[in-house]
């Protein structure tokens, strides 16, 4: 099955003669291909994002081991073992200010330069993008932080990243890939009608699904470079639409 998936994926990009061979396949086979495509896309995305994010996560924990004061949270109250207010700044590119204050000197992060996190005796405030979000320590589990155990938390975060990230990306792929196939189906139907062929929804869905492979490969390649292209979703749709139209034309020529 895996070998067939990669063979079909490669053919969908390089050979328009491939589409007439799969347009009449059962909807069950199309759904199986969708599952493989979503799973593969989610896996590659998880790995790429992991390579980009996890080194930064490790860097932050190493920094925090040196800079954070010892503190613990119990029964919704934070206690800090240091003179306060306690300031430290993490600078991965854009400085992030951390302020530990259980004395009441700071009750809001507004006086701070964003992005900033203010940790008071009963709340966590996050200042970002001109907006302040507040979270009560009562909603957190008991926690104790000192430079002797931060490395353990780092390992837990890394271990949890992959299953959580993969599950999230898999659900997202299972949502947007068939959604785009449905959105592209009218283009496939129109292309068929220009040749006097009326393809049913099942066939237009199959064509549109396979026609997304080129855009998906480009999307993964862009992610690998770390570039952030604005409105890439429009590029994705445009590439898929072109492939859908041309693939349907090829299928129509076989049926006429």
């Amino acid at each position: 099955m895996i070998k067939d998936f990669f063979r079909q994926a490669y053919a969908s990009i390089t050979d328009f003669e491939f589409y007439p061979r799969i347009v009449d396949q059962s909807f069950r086979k199309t759904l199986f291909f969708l599952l493989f495509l979503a799973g593969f896309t989610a896996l590659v995305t998880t790995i790429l994002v992991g390579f980009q994010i996890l080194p930064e996560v490790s860097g932050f924990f190493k920094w925090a081991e040196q800079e954070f004061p010892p503190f613990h949270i119990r029964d919704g109250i934070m206690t800090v073992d240091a003179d306060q207010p306690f300031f430290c700044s993490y600078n991965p590119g854009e400085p992030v200010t951390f302020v530990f204050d259980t004395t009441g000197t700071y009750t809001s992060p507004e006086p701070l330069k964003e992005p900033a996190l203010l940790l008071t005796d009963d709340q966590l405030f996050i200042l970002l993008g001109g907006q302040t979000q507040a979270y009560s320590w009562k909603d957190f589990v008991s926690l104790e932080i000192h430079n002797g155990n931060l490395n353990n938390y780092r390992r837990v975060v890394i271990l949890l990243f992959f299953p959580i990230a993969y599950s999230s990306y898999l659900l997202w792929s299972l949502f947007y890939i068939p959604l785009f196939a449905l959105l592209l189906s009218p283009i496939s139907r129109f292309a068929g009608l220009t040749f006097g062929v009326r393809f049913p929804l099942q066939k237009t869905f199959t064509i549109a699904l396979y026609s997304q492979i080129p855009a998906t490969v480009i999307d993964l390649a862009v992610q690998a470079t770390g570039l952030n292209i604005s409105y890439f979703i429009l590029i994705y749709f445009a590439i898929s639409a072109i492939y859908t139209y041309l693939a349907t034309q090829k299928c129509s020529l076989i049926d006429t």
Side-chain angles (χ1 to χ4, degrees), residues 15-219:
D15 184 12
F16 281 107
E17 299 289 344
F18 161 77
Y19 288 90
R21 297 197 297 269
I22 54 91
V23 69
D24 291 319
Q25 73 181 11
S26 67
F27 194 59
R28 179 172 173 270
K29 288 185 178 180
T30 300
L31 289 180
F32 270 117
F33 184 84
L34 168 61
L35 292 176
F36 273 102
L37 177 59
F40 175 76
T41 303
L43 177 62
V44 175
T45 301
T46 300
I47 293 172
L48 293 175
V49 173
F51 273 115
Q52 295 168 7
I53 290 181
L54 292 182
E56 297 182 9
V57 171
S58 295
F60 170 77
F61 274 95
K62 291 179 181 179
W63 170 84
E65 283 182 340
Q66 303 296 322
E67 301 296 334
F68 273 7
F71 68 93
H72 64 260
I73 301 169
R74 293 193 186 98
D75 300 323
I77 299 297
M78 183 182 74
T79 303
V80 181
D81 186 15
D83 293 333
Q84 300 169 68
F86 186 96
F87 291 82
C88 53
S89 180
Y90 179 59
N91 190 0
E94 181 180 13
V96 180
T97 302
F98 291 82
V99 180
F100 296 81
D101 183 27
T102 62
T103 66
T105 301
Y106 286 89
T107 58
S108 170
E110 271 73 15
L112 305 173
K113 181 180 179 181
E114 66 175 74
L117 286 82
L118 171 62
L119 297 84
T120 67
D121 59 340
D122 61 347
Q123 287 184 297
L124 165 66
F125 296 92
I126 300 177
L127 176 62
L128 181 65
Q131 301 292 323
T132 298
Q133 294 182 333
Y135 304 91
S136 175
W137 291 128
K138 292 180 180 179
D139 298 328
F140 289 73
V141 297
S142 296
L143 187 68
E144 184 174 355
I145 297 293
H146 53 78
N147 57 11
N149 68 359
L150 273 172
N151 191 49
N152 294 331
Y153 285 112
R154 179 185 66 84
R155 291 173 180 172
V156 170
V157 169
I158 291 175
L159 287 174
L160 290 177
F161 168 81
F162 287 101
I164 293 175
Y166 179 76
S167 299
S168 300
Y169 288 126
L170 179 60
L171 289 175
W172 172 241
S173 297
L174 288 172
F175 168 74
Y176 85 83
I177 293 176
L179 175 62
F180 268 77
L182 290 173
L183 294 175
L184 291 164
S185 289
I187 297 176
S188 178
R189 186 169 178 82
F190 172 77
L193 289 174
T194 59
F195 287 86
V197 179
R198 291 179 176 272
F199 287 118
L201 178 60
Q202 178 180 329
K203 292 186 177 182
T204 60
F205 181 89
T206 298
I207 294 171
L209 175 65
Y210 282 85
S211 294
Q212 290 182 68
I213 303 297
T216 299
V217 171
I218 294 174
D219 182 24

